[in-house]
Amino acid sequence: MNEKDLKSMIESILNEMVGNETVPAAEAVKEVVTKAVEVTAPQEGKTEFAVGGLVQATMPAQEQLDDGECLDDITDIDLRKLLLVPDPEDREGYLKMKEKTPARLGVWRAGPRYKTITSLRFRADHAAAQDAVFSYVSEDFVKEMNLVPIATKCRDKDEYITRPDLGRQFSDETIATIKQRTTNQAKVQIMVGDGLSSAAIEANLRDIIPSITQGLKMYGYEVGNILFVKHCRVPSMDVIGDVTEADVVCLLVGERPGLVTAESMSAYIAYKPTVGMPEARRTVISNIHSGGTPAVEAGAHIAELIKTMIDRKASGIDLKL
């Protein structure tokens, strides 16, 4: 989100708060901050700032809002620790409940509306989700990870969203590249796909790839070149399976982002995948991100799962664990 969009969003919210009066965004923000009322810090040196008697946010007491200074990124606030209900009867019980879920609990209200911090956080999370879908994994990152770049038949993000069928197909030239850059009949073929979240790939790949490759090496399996598939849908792994004839194909792909995180990745793993196979033949490990299953831990589990698939020659519902 650029500065112009951010100012427009803040001005819109403030106009809702003050009515239809025309107030420039910068002046309105300054006025609101100037009128902020400090209330007693509940714990750990925190100071809660209130506007019109309604608590808006919690921040370290030593932070000051000087002219020209910006607040920290609102998405850095841990929703599991943010409690905006004034004077809750059981604060510790409320926080204990919030620890179990990143859902928006205890957001309170300002009259019939959400509080400002809640509204801004919702919009920020929604913007992050949109960015994750429509942005691309950088070419520098692909080179850094030493991945082999290929692409499906989709020409751009719009076509990727509207034509899922093209996201699982490759051109003849790309098929030739795959054959040239991979090992035929390898035990394991790893591939990475941008999927619906480029942010998930850049956030997790540096940790999960070494974890998987080191785990497989312990079991005696070497990993060859890893493919990076641009505009990737999950069934593209079936084509890779047909082309490489690998025993196991493992696809690391960005999940559809939500309002909790835009950095969640999944691993789809299948024994000898082929085009047109039932979805039930895939084994899936999902919610790989810092707030779910950490990438390093997921990588170790994936390596063990791949070994089990090779030993038992099965995956999905056919794999009895």
Side-chain angles (χ1 to χ4, degrees):
M1 180 179 295
N2 58 40
E3 183 178 353
K4 182 179 178 181
D5 291 338
L6 182 59
K7 286 183 178 180
S8 177
M9 180 181 69
I10 294 175
E11 184 173 3
S12 174
I13 294 173
L14 289 172
N15 283 336
E16 290 180 8
M17 295 170 61
V18 301
N20 295 323
E21 300 176 15
T22 301
V23 183
E27 294 180 10
V29 171
K30 183 177 180 180
E31 181 180 354
V32 170
V33 172
T34 302
K35 292 183 179 179
V37 180
E38 286 193 15
V39 296
T40 304
Q43 56 183 359
E44 298 180 3
K46 300 287 186 177
T47 298
E48 291 180 339
F49 285 85
V51 178
L54 298 174
V55 177
Q56 296 298 311
T58 302
M59 61 187 70
Q62 66 271 20
E63 288 191 13
Q64 301 294 325
L65 294 177
D66 297 328
D67 289 341
E69 184 179 356
C70 296
L71 293 174
D72 292 337
D73 185 350
I74 195 171
T75 60
D76 288 338
I77 298 174
D78 187 349
L79 292 178
R80 302 186 190 202
K81 298 178 181 179
L82 182 65
L83 178 59
L84 300 178
V85 177
D87 301 320
E89 183 175 341
D90 183 3
R91 184 184 186 87
E92 295 305 317
Y94 219 143
L95 290 172
K96 187 175 182 180
M97 177 176 62
K98 284 175 64 68
E99 287 178 357
K100 301 181 183 301
T101 174
R104 285 162 164 77
L105 303 177
V107 297
W108 203 237
R109 57 185 171 77
R113 297 188 178 96
Y114 288 122
K115 302 183 76 169
T116 302
I117 186 174
T118 302
S119 180
L120 288 175
R121 177 58 185 266
F122 177 87
R123 295 189 185 201
D125 288 341
H126 187 262
Q130 287 184 310
D131 287 345
V133 172
F134 286 99
S135 62
Y136 286 98
V137 175
S138 72
E139 294 181 3
D140 290 341
F141 181 81
V142 174
K143 292 178 181 178
E144 175 194 334
M145 297 302 300
N146 197 29
L147 309 177
V148 178
I150 57 175
T152 63
K153 288 185 176 181
C154 295
R155 293 169 295 182
D156 52 40
K157 284 287 186 178
D158 287 337
E159 191 167 64
Y160 172 74
I161 296 297
T162 57
R163 290 291 304 274
D165 57 314
L166 297 180
R168 60 182 71 122
Q169 300 175 29
F170 298 97
S171 66
D172 292 339
E173 293 79 6
T174 302
I175 293 295
T177 300
I178 295 170
K179 290 181 177 179
Q180 181 182 6
R181 301 295 300 275
T182 60
T183 302
N184 188 49
Q185 295 183 335
K187 286 292 184 181
V188 183
Q189 177 61 57
I190 297 177
M191 55 187 291
V192 178
D194 49 9
L196 288 166
S197 176
S198 58
I201 300 304
E202 296 195 8
N204 297 290
L205 213 61
R206 289 186 181 90
D207 291 329
I208 199 169
I209 289 294
S211 181
I212 294 174
T213 55
Q214 291 171 17
L216 290 174
K217 190 173 183 179
M218 288 176 51
Y219 297 126
Y221 302 128
E222 293 293 334
V223 175
N225 288 336
I226 299 174
L227 301 171
F228 173 75
V229 184
K230 185 178 180 180
H231 297 143
C232 175
R233 294 284 180 174
V234 171
S236 65
M237 66 184 291
D238 303 344
V239 180
I240 302 299
D242 277 342
V243 173
T244 64
E245 299 181 11
D247 281 0
V248 172
V249 175
C250 173
L251 168 63
L252 304 172
V253 64
E255 289 182 359
R256 179 183 293 105
L259 294 177
V260 172
T261 180
E263 298 182 349
S264 185
M265 186 172 68
S266 288
Y268 288 81
I269 316 168
Y271 181 77
K272 291 187 179 298
T274 56
V275 174
M277 75 175 193
E279 291 296 315
R281 283 185 54 195
R282 304 186 207 280
T283 298
V284 185
I285 299 173
S286 60
N287 290 310
I288 302 171
H289 59 93
S290 59
T293 301
V296 173
E297 180 182 337
H301 179 53
I302 289 168
E304 182 180 7
L305 191 57
I306 289 174
K307 179 184 184 301
T308 303
M309 289 181 180
I310 294 174
D311 290 343
R312 303 187 184 181
K313 297 180 171 54
S315 61
I317 62 174
D318 297 327
L319 182 63
K320 309 301 181 184
L321 298 176

